[in-house]
Amino acid sequence: MPANRIQIETFFRGIAVSPGVCRGKVLILERGHEEEPPRRPIAAERVEEELARFQRSHAAIRHQILQIQEEVRGKMQSKELEIFDAHISILDDPVVLEETVRMVREQLMNVEFAYHAVVERYAEALAEVGDDYLRERAADLRDVCLRVLNHLLGRDQQVDLQHLTEPCILVSHDLAPTQTAQLDRNMVLGLATDVGGKTSHTAILAGSLRIPAVVGLQNISLELTSGDYVLLDGFNGIIVVNPTDQTLYEYGEIVRKREDLQAGLLESKDSPAVTLDGTRIIVAANIEHLSDILAVHECGAEGIGLFRTEYLFLERETLPTEEEQFNSYQRVAKAMKPQSVILRTLDVGGDKISGVFGMTAEENPFLGLRAIRFCLQKPEIFCTQLRAILRASIVGNIKLMYPMISGVDEIDEANRLLESCKEELRSKGVPFDESIEVGMMMEIPSAVLMADALGRRAKFFSIGTNDLIQYTLAVDRLNERIAHLYDPAHPGLLRLIQMTVESGNRNKIWTGVCGEMAADPALVPLLLGLGVTKLSISPIAVPAVKHLIRCLKLSEARELAEFALSAESSVEVLARSRALVQRIAPGFLENHSASI
Ligand code: PEP
Ligand code: MG
């Protein structure tokens, strides 16, 4: 437990990623690691108590290690079991223990600080010797120390996300998309993490689960304690610990205003998004789960522009069979008929890792075995999905889309496998839509540069700006420390979007945008001005984006885009774009916080 629990109203600022306000008790899932535990003075009469605490934690970790060793005995070779013996002798090292006790007694300090200091001194000395064996022992020493510290600091309580018993605001150092996808909406009122960016899949999922969320809070997981009372503002990216009555009242007003505005927008949700000068823009929805279909119907979206099908795979112990996938795809096709559903083939890897695929950790997962690269290396998994999609295509209006295409070889290979699946189904007399449209995500700069050739092979381009931004600007979409550099208004990015649209036009195919950028009111005019004709966004953002389009003249959007393409920095682009929105829809920007 942190030494000093926060007593007064305190504000923390992070990155707003999922709108909404909630308040409740904090539940810490996983804490980040402090460089070193804080040093606290101990009164002389408290020394024995402090040492007894140390003894208890030491004994508990000893018990834990022996217990794990027992559990895995029989499953591991005896050589591997020796690691546990090594950890016990590190834990029991008399020199470390005696020095720690001496420091506490003589310098009247807390035991966490003393133990960490002693261990670090030895670990550093070992690591400095140019010997691999000793370097590994230094790592073992630190590992054992961390376990004891976690116990001393109360950081090691396990939280079972599947069985939460009371509503909470979940606070964690990080949260994987697989964990987020399984959250119980009735129990998790809000989410706050130390790390993360606006377009991390955890952020996107929180949005579709409608759980207010703030990421990039740096070390909120260390500052807070389970049971703290907080207010979470997912519109502005703020956490307020111990909010005063005045703060609660002000937030009540904000929420009421937002609800009124959203209710107003919902009244016209089913009207098409036609600009003032008569151009119809299709606004579809992005989904991750079948359960999102209801939200799609309720928001007035025109079909599903992106179904991230990997979520059907990520939350399981075994791969879904062709039959299971077929059932899911036909359910969504039926539910949306006659509107179209774009099923994106598996996009695993990056921040979406699952044991079900036998994936191993990579140094740079976003530059690694991801999406189409993974599928082409695992044709049996890919073809099972392709067959299931093809079979479902007769039920409704299904289109198929490949993620992360970087050049013609990948799309040619994917299409070759698709043709072989079609042939197999034909030979068995299994029906499917012979004219199913196959498009691709445009999310890697090399693909944009090859768009003319790719456009001859695809029926549509859907620009995945979440990735296109990170790969163009070399800015990790998950990293809160460089979140300010993740810049959707960067003229370089806008040029890539324009190049894609022009290649699409030359090939007589449509170009849409399905990244989070398409939900940002300040950026929508730019996208339309660049010639994008379809947007696919989170359901919750659909009514506002449709409304904004109805306030806009395409001719003005084109002028804006022309200016942006010749601009040298995003600052002037954003200023001009925001001014346009401010003029055509006063107050809109303030009241519809962007998801990016
Ligand atoms: C994108 O990259 O913009 C996109 C929509 O795909 P994802 O967010 O799933 O990577
Ligand atoms: Mg992507």
Side-chain angles (χ1 to χ4, degrees):
M1 196 189 293
N4 303 313
R5 197 172 187 146
I6 298 170
Q7 303 290 350
I8 54 166
E9 183 178 63
T10 309
F11 288 71
F12 293 89
R13 279 181 191 280
I15 303 168
V17 294
S18 177
V21 171
C22 58
R23 55 197 166 109
K25 277 194 195 163
V26 163
L27 179 66
I28 303 280
L29 178 65
E30 176 203 308
R31 288 188 194 276
H33 296 308
E34 285 164 305
E35 287 297 303
E36 69 176 18
R39 177 177 178 154
R40 277 182 293 120
I42 296 286
E45 61 274 18
R46 303 285 299 272
V47 162
E48 291 315 315
E49 204 180 299
E50 189 70 1
L51 292 176
R53 227 164 48 80
F54 184 45
Q55 225 166 33
R56 281 197 297 276
S57 290
H58 178 273
I61 297 305
R62 199 169 201 288
H63 179 71
Q64 251 180 36
I65 296 175
L66 291 173
Q67 208 173 16
I68 300 172
Q69 188 179 34
E70 260 334 287
E71 277 167 22
V72 298
R73 201 180 287 284
K75 294 185 206 146
M76 280 181 156
Q77 313 269 336
S78 59
K79 193 100 198 91
E80 289 164 330
L81 287 170
E82 283 172 14
I83 182 88
F84 297 102
D85 296 330
H87 279 192
I88 291 287
S89 38
I90 289 172
L91 184 73
D92 289 347
D93 188 313
V95 181
V96 172
L97 296 179
E98 279 160 24
E99 273 190 45
T100 303
V101 171
R102 195 166 48 244
M103 266 178 96
V104 174
R105 282 196 199 288
E106 291 174 3
Q107 299 182 41
L108 298 178
M109 58 169 59
N110 56 321
V111 72
E112 294 90 350
F113 185 85
Y115 182 57
H116 179 264
V118 173
V119 165
E120 264 312 297
R121 201 167 59 243
Y122 284 106
E124 268 168 32
L126 285 174
E128 269 168 22
V129 184
D131 177 295
D132 283 350
Y133 177 79
L134 291 180
R135 251 197 304 274
E136 277 171 31
R137 296 294 70 76
D140 286 343
L141 184 55
R142 289 188 166 118
D143 184 44
V144 169
C145 169
L146 188 64
R147 285 175 186 223
V148 177
L149 285 179
N150 281 344
H151 193 272
L152 278 166
L153 294 162
R155 290 174 185 161
D156 63 344
Q157 288 110 358
Q158 295 292 315
V159 174
D160 180 359
L161 283 181
Q162 311 289 310
H163 303 102
L164 296 175
T165 49
E166 12 166 28
C168 65
I169 293 182
L170 202 61
V171 175
S172 188
H173 176 65
D174 195 7
L175 200 63
T178 34
Q179 288 173 300
T180 313
Q182 293 175 48
L183 294 180
D184 177 349
R185 273 184 250 198
N186 298 319
M187 289 297 166
V188 179
L189 308 172
L191 284 181
T193 59
D194 293 342
V195 299
K198 290 175 180 175
T199 61
S200 67
H201 286 100
T202 288
I204 293 169
L205 271 173
S208 58
L209 290 170
R210 302 198 180 199
I211 299 178
V214 182
V215 303
L217 284 149
Q218 319 258 342
N219 53 5
I220 193 89
S221 72
L222 294 172
E223 302 278 358
L224 300 186
T225 303
S226 290
D228 280 346
Y229 188 73
V230 302
L231 179 144
L232 182 148
D233 169 4
F235 295 119
N236 301 297
I238 296 172
I239 302 280
V240 191
V241 188
N242 302 322
T244 59
D245 287 348
Q246 177 64 22
T247 302
L248 292 175
Y249 171 78
E250 283 167 16
Y251 268 102
E253 293 297 296
I254 292 173
V255 170
R256 240 188 314 283
K257 190 169 164 204
R258 292 269 184 168
E259 282 172 357
D260 288 349
L261 284 166
Q262 188 68 7
L265 289 172
L266 281 172
E267 280 171 21
S268 58
K269 69 181 170 55
D270 293 322
S271 308
V274 180
T275 62
L276 289 173
D277 42 4
T279 298
R280 168 108 190 240
I281 304 295
I282 301 295
V283 183
N286 294 347
I287 67 166
E288 286 80 34
H289 295 100
L290 291 178
S291 54
D292 298 331
I293 294 171
L294 185 63
V296 177
H297 285 309
E298 284 173 355
C299 74
E302 300 158 283
I304 292 172
L306 168 63
F307 184 172
R308 292 182 165 99
T309 61
E310 54 274 11
Y311 285 95
L312 297 175
F313 294 66
L314 290 175
E315 294 149 33
R316 304 171 46 110
E317 308 268 298
T318 55
L319 289 170
T321 62
E322 180 181 321
E323 216 47 36
E324 285 173 310
Q325 291 188 58
F326 166 68
N327 279 332
S328 301
Y329 304 148
Q330 67 151 356
R331 263 178 68 192
V332 64
K334 261 188 203 154
M336 294 308 300
K337 204 173 164 182
Q339 291 176 323
S340 64
V341 176
I342 300 182
L343 295 177
R344 180 178 72 182
T345 56
L346 261 181
D347 181 357
V348 284
D351 58 348
K352 288 176 285 194
I353 303 288
S354 165
V356 83
F357 298 110
M359 298 178 114
T360 48
E362 296 174 287
E363 277 292 319
N364 292 302
F366 274 105
L367 302 181
L369 188 58
R370 201 192 147 187
I372 198 71
R373 302 168 180 183
F374 173 83
C375 287
L376 296 180
Q377 279 195 22
K378 299 271 184 197
E380 62 295 342
I381 296 180
F382 189 40
C383 286
T384 304
Q385 181 175 41
L386 292 177
R387 281 192 303 272
I389 293 176
L390 286 169
R391 286 172 54 200
S393 66
I394 46 155
V395 174
N397 182 357
I398 284 186
K399 301 180 200 303
L400 196 152
M401 174 161 75
Y402 304 130
M404 291 277 298
I405 296 287
S406 65
V408 292
D409 292 346
E410 282 163 342
I411 195 167
D412 283 347
E413 179 61 7
N415 277 337
R416 195 186 62 72
L417 291 170
L418 180 65
E419 278 314 310
S420 72
C421 293
K422 287 183 177 176
E423 205 36 64
E424 191 184 332
L425 294 181
R426 278 188 207 110
S427 70
K428 291 183 182 153
V430 178
F432 64 91
D433 175 5
E434 287 280 353
S435 55
I436 184 170
E437 287 186 10
V438 181
M440 55 166 277
M441 300 275 296
M442 195 56 96
E443 46 192 350
I444 301 183
S446 63
V448 177
L449 299 172
M450 295 304 295
D452 278 345
L454 291 167
R456 288 193 282 278
R457 293 158 165 86
K459 283 281 186 284
F460 58 87
F461 289 147
S462 186
I463 304 177
T465 48
N466 301 341
D467 278 315
L468 188 59
I469 296 169
Q470 78 163 344
Y471 294 135
T472 302
L473 305 182
V475 177
D476 180 350
R477 64 194 267 191
L478 305 185
N479 188 339
E480 71 289 351
R481 280 176 284 185
I482 46 169
H484 59 291
L485 301 175
Y486 188 91
D487 182 2
H490 193 293
L493 176 87
L494 302 178
R495 287 179 197 202
L496 291 179
I497 295 176
Q498 186 213 26
M499 286 168 69
T500 307
V501 170
E502 286 185 346
S503 280
N505 290 343
R506 279 194 289 278
N507 277 293
K508 301 194 169 38
I509 62 175
W510 60 262
T511 299
V513 173
C514 62
E516 297 298 293
M517 177 181 178
D520 188 332
L523 302 171
V524 166
L526 270 172
L527 293 177
L528 302 199
L530 290 168
V532 169
T533 53
K534 294 194 186 191
L535 304 176
S536 189
I537 55 183
S538 148
I540 199 162
V542 169
V545 167
K546 283 178 96 175
H547 173 82
L548 181 64
I549 293 170
R550 289 188 214 108
C551 300
L552 184 71
K553 276 194 190 141
L554 192 62
S555 55
E556 286 186 316
R558 286 199 178 123
E559 275 169 30
L560 171 71
E562 211 170 298
F563 168 81
L565 289 169
S566 60
E568 292 185 353
S569 100
S570 59
V571 177
E572 36 181 341
V573 174
L574 260 183
R576 185 93 157 224
S577 184
R578 292 180 73 86
L580 171 64
V581 177
Q582 186 58 27
R583 182 163 52 75
I584 61 171
F588 195 83
L589 285 175
E590 293 73 36
N591 293 322
H592 296 279
S593 62
S595 57
I596 181 168

